[in-house]
Amino acid sequence: MNDGPDWRPVKRVRAFEEVVAQIEEQIATGRLRAGDKLPGERALAAALGVSRPSVREAMRVLEAMGVLVANTGSGPEAGAILAGSAGPALTGVLGLHLGLANFAVDDVVETRLLIESWAVEAAARHASEADLDRLRTIVAAMDEPDVSAERFNEQDTEFHTAIAELSGNALVATFMRALRDTVRRHQRRAVAELGQDTGALRADHRAILAAIEARDPHAAAEALAVHLRRAYPNVARVRRDESPGEG
């Protein structure tokens, strides 16, 4: 039985969106790589059959996304170049969405547990003496008797992002940097709930550091899990007895 035509809405795409899509396709296929220079505005408009304002708008969008770096001026050095580092752009985009509260607190804290558990294990295996000195300096700053709550939070955040960086995985470090501002807000709440009684949190950081110094990945991950359970007792996903990866 013929039920008649199967109509579907026509997708309207503005010209600059098609320019962006074509550049994304060239990147996905490997025809464009980091550091490559795009054709000039006039040449790209002619090649794609669109207006120069459409190309200009596409360049603005891609620059805002951190995909392109525009060289102003004229001559052979002018034009847009594909960014060599995705870290700042990815950090910015994730940070904005986290700031808009598009992710629940439980999701953020569970993501921290997953990322940091792996990162702290990697740090325990690979951290150099200079890396350990960096962590020791941060922990010592948190242990100062007259440290303010704001200073404690800053050092706490630095400690956790440093561990992610010491993992040796640039993408993990980027994710943690993106989480940093949201994590800081949660940390402030946790410290405020504890009042001046931050002794347990300080001890947690010392335990994490000690496990890294001992080159014990399992103990480091367990110390981290204990710390997050203490800091976020109302987050059900970290309020469990088993260590990360078990059970």
Side-chain angles (χ1 to χ4, degrees):
M1 180 178 179
N2 188 352
D3 294 329
D6 181 17
W7 299 112
R8 294 187 302 276
V10 174
K11 184 178 180 181
R12 295 182 180 180
V13 179
R14 289 174 288 185
F16 84 87
E17 293 176 330
E18 182 59 29
V19 175
V20 170
Q22 289 217 32
I23 292 173
E24 289 176 342
E25 181 181 354
Q26 299 301 317
I27 293 171
T29 58
R31 294 187 180 94
L32 283 176
R33 300 177 182 275
D36 285 352
K37 185 177 177 181
L38 291 180
E41 185 180 289
R42 186 190 303 274
L44 193 56
L48 297 176
V50 298
S51 67
R52 291 181 67 180
S54 294
V55 170
R56 201 172 302 130
E57 182 65 18
M59 296 302 101
R60 279 196 287 263
V61 170
L62 291 169
E63 187 176 5
M65 292 169 62
V67 175
L68 295 179
V69 178
N71 286 338
T72 57
S74 59
E77 299 303 319
I81 297 174
L82 292 177
S85 173
L90 182 56
T91 296
V93 170
L94 285 174
L96 284 172
H97 282 287
L98 289 165
L100 291 169
N102 288 340
F103 300 95
V105 173
D106 285 32
D107 292 340
V108 173
V109 177
E110 184 179 38
T111 300
R112 279 195 63 186
L113 179 62
L114 293 171
I115 292 176
E116 288 194 71
S117 293
W118 181 88
V120 78
E121 290 183 352
R125 294 187 182 98
H126 307 303
S128 68
E129 192 61 30
D131 295 332
L132 294 175
D133 282 340
R134 178 185 177 189
L135 294 178
R136 290 170 185 138
T137 299
I138 297 170
V139 169
M142 282 189 284
D143 275 342
E144 292 177 0
D146 58 346
V147 65
S148 66
E150 185 64 27
R151 176 66 172 164
F152 181 88
N153 283 321
E154 289 175 1
Q155 295 302 308
D156 192 354
T157 302
E158 180 64 21
F159 180 78
H160 290 282
T161 53
I163 287 174
E165 291 168 2
L166 298 186
S167 72
N169 186 305
L171 187 56
V172 166
T174 295
F175 274 119
M176 268 306 297
R177 281 192 291 270
L179 288 170
R180 181 167 50 196
D181 288 340
T182 299
V183 166
R184 185 180 292 118
R185 288 196 294 274
H186 294 167
Q187 286 170 337
R188 285 173 180 158
R189 188 178 303 117
V191 171
E193 290 173 356
L194 289 170
Q196 297 300 316
D197 185 19
T198 58
L201 296 180
R202 297 169 195 250
D204 288 347
H205 291 113
R206 289 194 297 271
I208 295 169
L209 174 57
I212 295 174
E213 290 175 320
R215 308 295 183 184
D216 189 334
H218 178 78
E222 176 56 28
L224 175 74
V226 168
H227 173 60
L228 291 182
R229 286 197 292 268
R230 190 190 315 281
Y232 307 107
N234 297 322
V235 176
R237 295 178 194 170
V238 301
R239 196 176 64 245
R240 50 180 180 248
D241 295 330
E242 68 268 18
S243 301
E246 292 182 0

